[in-house]
């Protein structure tokens, strides 16, 4: 939750050799379930649904996105294959409208065959609440006037002939 807005993030991994049609059916179920919770749903992860060209997604995934009015906000290849070729396996997906992700980048990491996808959440932070308080200026405190009523308070009362342990404090 950021201010009045609620965001749901779902990190998804699809193993490469699984059936893409079954994956899309499961993804539909997941999206429907999470969508019923309310909020701005963002799907991200290694979907392993490369398209024909290095910077495209599988046409079946693109069709699925269109059915749900979603957009893959990350563009370009996200993985360098062992032979040096590139493919787009990773994605960040959000509703087409309203868009809440900005400054989406694909960054080579140097330690993985996948590139890092990053985005900035475009939301309005609520203004910090104003806190008002009042205080006494102790530099101007009349110590004698303060001590007088405090000194007259009977905080503990002990009955004569009883030990202090047996007596109960008087409460006022």
């Amino acid at each position: 939750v950021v201010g009045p807005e609620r965001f749901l993030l779902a990190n998804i991994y699809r193993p490469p050799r699984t059936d893409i049609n079954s994956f899309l059916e499961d993804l539909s179920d997941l999206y429907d379930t999470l969508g019923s919770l309310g909020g701005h749903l963002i799907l991200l992860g290694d979907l392993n649904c490369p398209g024909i060209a290095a910077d495209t997604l599988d046409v079946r995934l693109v069709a699925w996105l269109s059915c749900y009015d979603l957009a893959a906000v990350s563009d370009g290849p996200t993985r360098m294959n062992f032979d040096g070729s590139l493919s787009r396996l990773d994605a960040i997906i959000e509703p087409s409208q309203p868009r809440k992700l900005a400054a989406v980048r694909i960054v080579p990491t140097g330690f993985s065959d996948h590139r890092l996808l990053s985005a900035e959440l475009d939301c309005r932070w609520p203004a910090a609440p104003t806190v008002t308080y009042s205080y006494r200026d102790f530099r101007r405190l009349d110590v004698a006037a303060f001590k007088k009523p405090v000194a007259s308070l009977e905080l503990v009362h002990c009955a004569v002939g009883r030990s202090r342990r047996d007596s109960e404090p008087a409460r006022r």
Side-chain angles (χ1 to χ4, degrees):
V1 177
V2 179
E5 298 183 72
R6 178 181 171 157
F7 294 90
L8 297 170
L9 302 175
N11 188 17
I12 299 166
Y13 173 73
R14 176 186 161 260
R17 289 173 185 62
T18 58
D19 181 59
I20 190 167
N21 293 321
S22 297
F23 168 71
L24 293 174
E25 287 177 21
D26 292 342
L27 192 57
S28 293
D29 293 341
L30 176 68
Y31 189 81
D32 292 339
T33 300
L34 294 177
S36 69
L37 299 175
H40 191 84
L41 180 56
I42 299 170
L43 306 173
L44 57 132
D46 184 353
L47 305 180
N48 281 307
C49 296
I52 295 171
D55 60 345
T56 62
L57 294 169
D58 187 287
V59 294
R60 293 167 288 184
L61 177 60
V62 172
W64 183 87
L65 295 173
S66 177
C67 288
Y68 281 92
D69 197 24
L70 299 172
V73 298
S74 52
D75 289 324
T78 60
R79 180 177 186 253
M80 180 179 288
N81 301 314
F82 68 92
D83 62 359
S85 64
L86 300 173
S87 58
R88 186 174 177 192
L89 301 182
D90 309 278
I92 301 175
I93 299 167
E94 72 168 331
S96 296
Q97 294 297 323
R99 297 281 292 268
K100 296 292 182 176
L101 297 175
V104 179
R105 295 185 312 269
I106 299 174
V107 183
T109 61
F111 59 82
S112 174
D113 57 335
H114 287 261
R115 295 177 177 174
L116 173 71
L117 278 69
S118 71
E120 294 176 8
L121 194 56
D122 183 20
C123 58
R124 306 293 176 247
W125 290 88
T130 303
V131 177
T132 305
Y133 65 94
S134 61
Y135 66 96
R136 294 182 186 253
D137 187 356
F138 289 109
R139 290 176 293 202
R140 295 188 203 166
L141 180 66
D142 182 349
V143 177
F146 180 75
K147 284 182 178 181
K148 189 175 182 179
V150 173
S152 68
L153 293 175
E154 187 178 332
L155 300 176
V156 177
H157 174 72
C158 293
V160 177
R162 295 175 71 183
S163 71
R164 178 170 250 189
R165 187 172 9 130
D166 296 334
S167 63
E168 293 183 13
R171 298 188 185 236
R172 293 186 180 208

